[in-house]
Each structure stands twice: as C-alpha cells, then as structure tokens.
Amino acid sequence: KSKINSFQDFFYYIETIELMGYDINLFRGQSTNRPLLPTICRDDPKKDTTKIEIEMLEDFKRRSSLLISRNFASDWEWLVYAQRVGLKTRLLDWTNNPLVALWFACQDQYSMNESSFLYILSCDNNMQVDISKNKSPFENNSTKILRPTLNNERIVAQSGWFTAHRYSKPSNKFVTLEKNISIKSKLTEIEIPAEFKKDLLRKLSMFGVNSRTVFPDVNGLSLHLNWKYLVNKY
C-alpha cells in the first residue's frame, strides 16, 4: 500500500509499474476503500447469484429489443453492454488509462473529505479470457480479465476493461480480488488523501480528463459544467 501527495507522485508510481514489464496494467479508482467485488455480489458475496444473473441477462435481451438498435454476437458482449447501462453483473470496471482511474477516484463530490483509493492490477496475457474458447461468462473456472469489444462510446472514452468474476464453490462466496490467492500479489493499492483531490481534479481537467470526456454525452457535459462553475470555483 502506498500514498501519493501530488500529481508528480502519481506519475512516479505509474512509471515504476510500467517499468516492471507486465503485459497488462489495469487501473481502478474508488472514492472509498470498499472490497474489489462486482455489483452482482457486493451486498452479499456468499450468495451464488449465477443462475439469477443468467436469467436477468436473458430477460434483459428480451425486453431491450425495442429500446436498442443493435444486436450482439455473444453473451460476453451482451454482459458488457448491460453493465454499462446499469444492470448488476459479475463484471468489475477497470481502465488501461491511469488518468481516467485517478479521475474516478477523486470525482465524487460527496466524498471530498475522505481519502480515495486507486488500484493497479499488473499481470501477463494468460489472465485474459479467450472469448473464442470461453463462450459463456458464467462458466469460467477462475477470475479473468476481459478486454471488451469497443461497442459503446463510454468504453472507448474510458479505455474500459473488466475483471470477470465467478462464484467460488470451494469458498462458498465471490472472493474479493484483494483476498484472491492467484491475484492479490498482482495488486497495488494507492491511497489519495482528501486534501489533494481538488487539485488533482483541476490538473486532470487540464490534461483533458473530466466528466465531459469520460462520459461523452450531454449528461457528461452537464456534470462537467456543474463542476467547472459551481465546484471548481471554491
């Protein structure tokens, strides 16, 4: 566990990680130090929601046909899209852009007086799911990394990746990444003290990372203008 005190500190840690030579470095920002679990199991990790999640996704496909103008080639793509529009799934959001992760860590205006956290997952390509061989997101025998098809604007803007989790029958629960025997050694946690977050957000916006660019739609523009005129002034 490390702590940063400036934008320069952050770049130093990122450069150090990059020099280690891993195939994949992924980043995740959180406004609080909650367990690294996807939304489907965050409330009750001990509950095996696999069957429920399969039913939810099938119902989502059936009901959304008139609401979206696209069709997807696999359940992996359906799951990514459903995750993006708010369905609870076994996917946990990551990005390969450290600046985007830092923004997500700092941006919650209701947590400005608390430390935020950024996580780095460094691993080799063998952790990446092979969709051609693993047709179903619900049949993985271990937690994997998913590099999604670029099928929506937010994934492109956020350089989105995912970890695809699974219910562990030996443990009778969804195991958090920080306690996962095969993954925890690949994780780095960085604490971002509350007093530096406003300055980090200003600098990130100078580098083009803010609500307007992370959420490339009218809602993102509105959030950015709220911050620019009402929050960043003080």
Side-chain angles (χ1 to χ4, degrees):
K1 182 177 179 178
S2 304
K3 183 184 290 189
I4 64 168
N5 296 313
S6 67
F7 208 46
Q8 288 77 12
D9 276 354
F10 181 67
F11 277 109
Y12 169 78
Y13 278 110
I14 299 306
E15 186 176 28
T16 300
I17 293 292
E18 289 293 332
L19 289 174
M20 290 181 180
Y22 292 101
D23 295 327
I24 300 171
N25 287 307
L26 300 182
F27 308 88
R28 176 176 172 82
Q30 294 187 172
S31 57
T32 59
N33 190 19
R34 64 177 182 267
L36 294 171
L37 285 170
T39 52
I40 195 71
C41 60
R42 203 167 286 163
D43 293 335
D44 186 3
K46 292 183 178 180
K47 184 177 181 180
D48 186 355
T49 54
T50 304
K51 185 178 178 181
I52 295 171
E53 192 179 356
I54 293 170
E55 292 174 355
M56 283 175 64
L57 186 63
E58 289 304 314
D59 209 8
F60 179 85
K61 287 191 251 183
R62 182 176 64 85
R63 291 171 180 259
S64 64
S65 59
L66 294 177
L67 302 174
I68 60 177
S69 58
R70 62 186 81 181
N71 197 15
F72 300 110
S74 70
D75 276 353
W76 284 106
E77 291 188 18
W78 272 108
L79 205 65
V80 167
Y81 181 80
Q83 163 91 353
R84 277 285 171 242
V85 296
L87 197 72
K88 291 187 176 184
T89 78
R90 62 185 51 216
L91 301 180
L92 183 66
D93 290 280
W94 294 78
T95 174
N96 64 0
N97 185 331
L99 297 181
V100 169
L102 183 62
W103 182 86
F104 271 109
C106 297
Q107 55 81 36
D108 186 357
Q109 297 303 314
Y110 298 101
S111 303
M112 294 306 290
N113 296 322
E114 304 170 16
S115 288
S116 291
F117 296 85
L118 188 139
Y119 302 90
I120 306 171
L121 176 56
S122 304
C123 60
D124 297 321
N125 280 325
N126 59 9
M127 257 199 78
Q128 192 170 333
V129 65
D130 184 347
I131 297 177
S132 65
K133 295 178 180 177
N134 298 268
K135 300 293 185 182
S136 171
F138 309 107
E139 295 176 1
N140 274 342
N141 56 14
S142 63
T143 296
K144 292 287 188 180
I145 288 173
L146 173 64
R147 184 179 189 178
T149 303
L150 301 178
N151 59 18
N152 70 69
E153 294 82 2
R154 286 192 178 184
I155 285 181
V156 175
Q158 297 171 14
S159 303
W161 288 58
F162 301 93
T163 41
H165 296 238
R166 58 116 188 188
Y167 184 83
S168 172
K169 291 185 177 179
S171 301
N172 291 315
K173 62 181 178 180
F174 284 89
V175 179
T176 65
L177 292 184
E178 59 269 34
K179 293 182 179 179
N180 187 309
I181 294 174
S182 62
I183 292 177
K184 62 182 181 180
S185 63
K186 301 175 173 65
L187 280 171
T188 302
E189 179 184 294
I190 298 175
E191 182 181 351
I192 306 161
E195 59 265 32
F196 301 113
K197 292 190 332 189
K198 286 187 177 179
D199 183 61
L200 288 171
L201 286 171
R202 292 189 187 102
K203 287 185 169 65
L204 284 167
S205 192
M206 288 174 58
F207 280 90
V209 181
N210 51 49
S211 298
R212 182 182 60 81
T213 57
V214 172
F215 302 111
D217 51 30
V218 176
N219 179 246
L221 173 60
S222 299
L223 291 172
H224 175 62
L225 294 177
N226 288 342
W227 172 79
K228 180 179 179 181
Y229 288 96
L230 299 175
V231 178
N232 193 39
K233 294 292 185 182
Y234 304 101

